[in-house]
């Protein structure tokens, strides 16, 4: 693999060696395209390389959160748990790299700094921070939707003498917090898993909560061998059934097709309880209107709040743990005893709405005028999601237009895949696509195959550049927001809206509804790439 300006350019430069980058490389090679993956980290795996915090595990069942493009892979690979933990997911990514002999196409420890469209050569000129550079006809940004950690600018944080850890940049060596007084800031999916796992290990755990989360039980455990055999006997059809669901998973527990308002209160309670006992995201499929009807949604929210009140013994703590926003509006957490953790004598909750963080000190932090003495702080404060990583690149399109200017008012894109003014560039799992609401591996398989089909097709027709039109882009962003407006997703401050990052444009970034998205992408291809300019144009 050439690692200097290549003549001719390589077909594809892929940024990121997570699941998206690995599958893009494999698919490109299968289609006879030359491709190189450049990855900033020291290993493959993306999300599962970096997020090594205590208790990190996937919240979609392992049998679903896995690739289906190769039947031999899905038959050979054996998951050990219903919800795989981070080390097993990282092993799976490494297995893919080895199984498909991808490693000679991946440069690790190499951070891309600049990518500029070269109008004369009709290719991307891409340079790494270390000065190496490449020319590529196409650029695939497989940088992931959740890859730039959000580290809030807390006053005095640098004065804190203890250890500061971020869940999304957890050290590779073991971190021993046993016997320490630990504070966790943040109670999203990462915080919920960290808090539950750390509580029994540490001397004292103080949870700093700004917004309470809804969490449903995972009921994790060893993978049911009978279920595994049943799924493996029917894996292609199982995958197909999942692809037809709104989120690319959950076909084992399909959503019901009637309203929460169409049954009696007793029946509703019984049905919520049934799904609570099964565990996982299926609670939101108890009725068909929980995501679109605020009245129905409130009934589901109250069901979980009643669970919190019944689990958490101290009424004041229980009240502070009860969310008031619509359930599902922020990503639902899937937990293993999260609320019960607050019954432990060594765990206490600080409600930042009543007592905001004022500053950090050498020995802890002050919130609401009270100093909390801590030996270590875990920031579970999430990500500058969907756009954060790309906006930190020096990425320039036609005429030197900077991505920072193009996205000043929010991430303009078409199909969640392409940008006007940035020819031959593709984002995987980016804004405007369904990845945030979808089993991300299913989303990756679809987008990679769409990109590969497009490149193969356009190469056969002699097309050199593909570029979204500004009109198609504007219409697409309006469509994404119109779909969200028909749901409860605009009803809270989520990372979907960019609301977790001060100053970020407030625009709904992910698209809800995987099957309609797949259909739209297929239609665009069948209509000769409607919404794109092709050059030279196809006769
Ligand atoms: P997150 O959902 O954005 O949660 C971040 C938490 O930090 C929130 O509680 C947030 O409060 C709090 N926070 C942020 N800035 C703060 C500040 N300045 N002061 C106090 N609190 C602050 O991030 P995450 O938990 O890392 O999860 C992000 C996404 O990653 C998830 O939604 C999910 O899609 C994915 N994820 C998945 C898994 C899994 O598969 N099991 C695990 C982890 C993450 P506010 O809510 O008030 O902003």
């Amino acid at each position: 693999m050439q690692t200097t300006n290549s003549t001719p350019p390589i077909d594809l430069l892929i940024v990121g060696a997570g699941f998206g980058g690995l599958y893009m490389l494999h698919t490109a090679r299968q289609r006879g395209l030359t491709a190189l993956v450049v990855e900033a980290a020291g290993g493959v795996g993306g999300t599962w390389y970096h997020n090594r915090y205590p208790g990190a595990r996937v919240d979609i069942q392992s049998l679903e959160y896995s690739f289906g493009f190769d039947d031999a892979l899905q038959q050979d690979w054996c998951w050990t748990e219903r919800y795989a933990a981070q080390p097993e997911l990282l092993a799976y990514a490494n297995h893919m790299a080895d199984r498909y002999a991808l490693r000679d196409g991946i440069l690790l420890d190499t951070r891309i700094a600049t990518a500029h469209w070269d109008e004369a050569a009709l290719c991307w000129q891409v340079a790494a921070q270390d000065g190496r550079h490449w020319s590529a006809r196409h650029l695939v940004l497989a940088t992931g939707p959740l890859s730039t950690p959000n580290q809030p600018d807390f006053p005095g944080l640098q004065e804190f003498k203890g250890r500061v850890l971020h869940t999304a940049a957890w050290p590779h060596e073991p971190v021993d917090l046993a016997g320490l007084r630990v504070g966790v800031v943040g109670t999203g999916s990462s915080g919920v898993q960290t808090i539950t796992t750390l509580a029994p290990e540490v001397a004292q755990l103080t949870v700093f909560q700004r917004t309470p989360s809804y969490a449903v039980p995972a009921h994790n455990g060893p993978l049911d061998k009978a279920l595994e055999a049943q799924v493996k006997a029917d894996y292609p059809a199982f995958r197909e059934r999942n692809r037809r669901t709104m989120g690319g998973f959950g076909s084992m527990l399909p959503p019901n097709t009637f309203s929460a308002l169409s049954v009696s209160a007793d029946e509703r309670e019984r049905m919520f309880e049934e799904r609570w006992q099964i565990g996982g995201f299926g609670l939101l499929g108890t009725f068909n209107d929980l995501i679109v009807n605020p009245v129905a949604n409130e009934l589901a929210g109250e069901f979980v709040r009643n669970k919190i009140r019944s689990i958490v013994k101290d009424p004041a703590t229980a009240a502070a743990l009860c969310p008031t926003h619509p359930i599902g509006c922020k990503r639902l957490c899937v937990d293993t005893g999260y609320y019960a953790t607050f019954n432990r004598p060594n765990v206490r909750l600080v409600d930042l709405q009543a007592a905001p963080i004022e500053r950090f000190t050498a020995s802890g932090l002050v919130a609401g005028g009270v100093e909390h003495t801590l030996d270590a702080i875990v920031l579970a404060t999430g990500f500058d999601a969907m756009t954060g990583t790309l906006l930190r690149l020096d990425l320039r399109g036609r005429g030197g237009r900077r991505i920072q200017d193009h996205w000043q008012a929010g991430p303009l894109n078409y199909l969640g895949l392409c940008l006007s003014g940035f020819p031959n560039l593709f984002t995987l799992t980016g804004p405007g696509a369904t990845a945030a609401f979808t089993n991300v591996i299913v989303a990756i398989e679809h987008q990679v195959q769409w990109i590969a089909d497009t490149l193969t097709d356009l190469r056969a027709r002699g097309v050199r550049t593909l570029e979204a039109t500004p009109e198609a882009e504007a219409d697409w962003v309006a469509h994404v927001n119109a779909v969200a407006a028909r749901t409860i997703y605009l009803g809270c401050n989520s990372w979907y809206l960019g609301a977790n990052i001060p100053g970020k444009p407030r625009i709904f970034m992910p698209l809800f509804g995987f099957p309609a998205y797949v259909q739209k992408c297929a239609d665009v291809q069948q209509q000769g790439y409607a919404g794109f300019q092709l050059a030279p144009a196809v006769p």
Side-chain angles (χ1 to χ4, degrees):
M1 178 58 62
Q2 273 183 295
T3 57
T4 57
N5 252 3
S6 43
T7 317
I10 56 173
D11 290 319
L12 225 63
L13 191 134
I14 301 159
V15 187
F19 284 135
L22 291 175
Y23 183 49
M24 188 76 247
L25 175 61
H26 176 57
T27 308
R29 285 178 162 181
Q30 284 191 317
R31 303 291 181 100
L33 301 166
T34 52
L36 172 71
V37 173
V38 182
E39 165 62 58
V44 304
T47 287
W48 302 109
Y49 178 88
H50 294 287
N51 288 266
R52 298 164 184 249
Y53 60 83
R57 69 175 65 249
V58 67
D59 54 12
I60 290 175
Q61 293 192 45
S62 321
L63 288 168
E64 301 178 311
Y65 187 86
S66 45
F67 282 99
F69 66 89
D70 176 359
D71 196 47
L73 169 67
Q74 63 190 6
Q75 295 299 336
D76 289 352
W77 186 266
C78 295
W79 297 103
T80 61
E81 290 180 277
R82 186 180 191 206
Y83 295 93
Q86 175 271 336
E88 195 169 24
L89 291 155
L90 186 59
Y92 182 67
N94 277 286
H95 175 75
M96 284 196 62
D98 294 330
R99 185 180 186 109
Y100 302 110
L102 300 178
R103 292 194 193 273
D104 64 347
I106 303 171
L107 275 184
L108 299 174
D109 294 311
T110 308
R111 183 173 287 278
I112 294 298
T114 68
H116 295 176
W117 175 249
D118 180 337
E119 307 232 22
L122 297 183
C123 64
W124 286 93
Q125 305 293 359
V126 185
Q129 276 178 350
D130 64 12
R132 279 181 290 178
H133 58 287
W134 305 268
S135 302
R137 291 192 186 87
H138 303 93
L139 184 62
V140 176
L141 299 166
T143 44
L146 297 159
S147 46
T148 294
N150 168 35
Q151 174 133 357
D153 192 15
F154 291 118
L157 183 58
Q158 60 291 349
E159 285 165 29
F160 179 62
K161 297 272 186 274
R163 195 153 185 195
V164 180
L165 299 144
H166 196 296
T167 47
W170 200 261
H172 288 210
E173 66 278 8
V175 178
D176 186 7
L177 298 173
L180 300 184
R181 292 161 297 183
V182 178
V184 177
V185 183
T187 52
S189 299
S190 305
V192 162
Q193 292 184 327
T194 305
I195 290 160
T196 312
T197 309
L198 277 186
E201 294 170 18
V202 301
Q204 187 185 87
L205 189 71
T206 310
V207 176
F208 297 93
Q209 168 193 275
R210 188 164 70 180
T211 307
S213 286
Y214 292 98
V216 291
H219 299 309
N220 188 36
L223 185 60
D224 178 340
K225 287 288 163 199
L227 175 66
E228 182 186 17
Q230 184 191 324
V231 167
K232 284 191 169 181
D234 184 36
Y235 232 145
F238 176 78
R239 300 286 189 196
E240 185 52 33
R241 286 195 294 278
N242 273 342
R243 278 193 287 270
R244 291 207 201 106
T245 67
M246 289 301 271
F249 71 102
S251 66
M252 288 185 281
L253 183 62
N256 285 315
T257 53
F258 46 89
S259 163
L261 309 178
S262 68
V263 297
S264 69
D266 285 351
E267 178 63 359
R268 200 161 46 228
E269 188 72 8
R270 188 195 64 72
M271 293 179 68
F272 279 138
E273 182 63 32
E274 191 175 88
R275 289 197 170 221
W276 180 269
Q277 294 306 331
I278 294 170
F281 289 117
L283 184 79
L284 291 178
T286 313
F287 300 102
N288 70 355
D289 52 356
L290 299 183
I291 293 301
V292 293
N293 180 344
V295 177
N297 181 281
E298 172 59 17
L299 295 167
E302 187 60 10
F303 172 81
V304 178
R305 286 191 291 272
N306 283 333
K307 285 288 180 193
I308 298 169
R309 292 176 195 121
S310 72
I311 295 168
V312 179
K313 294 195 176 114
D314 173 46
T317 304
L321 283 168
C322 283
T324 54
H325 56 271
I327 184 170
C329 181
K330 286 167 179 266
R331 161 91 165 219
L332 196 58
C333 301
V334 179
D335 79 306
T336 300
Y338 174 62
Y339 296 123
T341 298
F342 291 89
N343 292 333
R344 296 180 61 90
N346 69 332
V347 176
R348 65 181 172 204
L349 181 69
V350 175
D351 178 0
L352 297 180
Q353 286 176 15
I357 294 177
E358 290 156 30
R359 64 182 190 283
F360 281 71
T361 65
S363 55
L365 68 82
V366 179
V370 177
E371 173 144 22
H372 299 271
T373 305
L374 302 166
D375 303 309
I377 289 163
V378 176
L379 299 176
T381 44
F383 301 86
D384 185 351
M386 311 222 75
T387 58
T389 304
L390 300 190
L391 288 173
R392 282 164 177 76
L393 280 179
D394 176 4
L395 179 62
R396 299 181 197 206
R398 201 182 283 289
R401 183 164 170 76
R402 298 163 66 242
I403 183 81
Q404 291 80 3
D405 296 325
H406 192 61
W407 280 4
Q408 197 174 22
L412 284 170
N413 68 84
Y414 180 43
L415 300 179
L417 280 160
C418 295
L419 278 56
S420 77
F422 293 74
N424 292 5
L425 175 144
F426 301 90
T427 55
L428 271 187
T429 67
T434 61
F437 289 130
T438 307
N439 176 347
V440 79
I441 298 197
V442 170
I444 285 168
E445 284 192 317
H446 164 253
Q447 286 198 316
V448 164
Q449 285 161 15
W450 190 92
I451 293 169
D453 288 347
T454 298
L455 297 186
T456 309
D457 186 22
L458 296 184
R459 185 170 62 169
R461 298 183 193 203
V463 172
R464 302 279 305 273
T465 62
L466 168 90
E467 181 181 345
T469 66
E471 297 76 26
E473 201 175 48
D475 287 351
W476 186 253
V477 174
H479 169 66
V480 170
N481 279 268
V483 171
R486 295 198 289 268
T487 70
I488 48 82
Y489 287 121
L490 301 183
C492 67
N493 290 323
S494 67
W495 60 258
Y496 304 142
L497 264 172
N500 62 328
I501 303 294
K504 191 162 171 167
R506 201 181 167 100
I507 185 164
F508 201 78
M509 294 183 284
L511 175 66
F512 180 65
F514 182 66
Y517 174 67
V518 170
Q519 187 59 53
K520 172 70 184 177
C521 292
D523 291 348
V524 165
Q525 261 169 344
Q526 277 155 21
Q527 292 155 5
Y529 303 92
F532 287 100
Q533 279 175 335
L534 308 182
V538 174

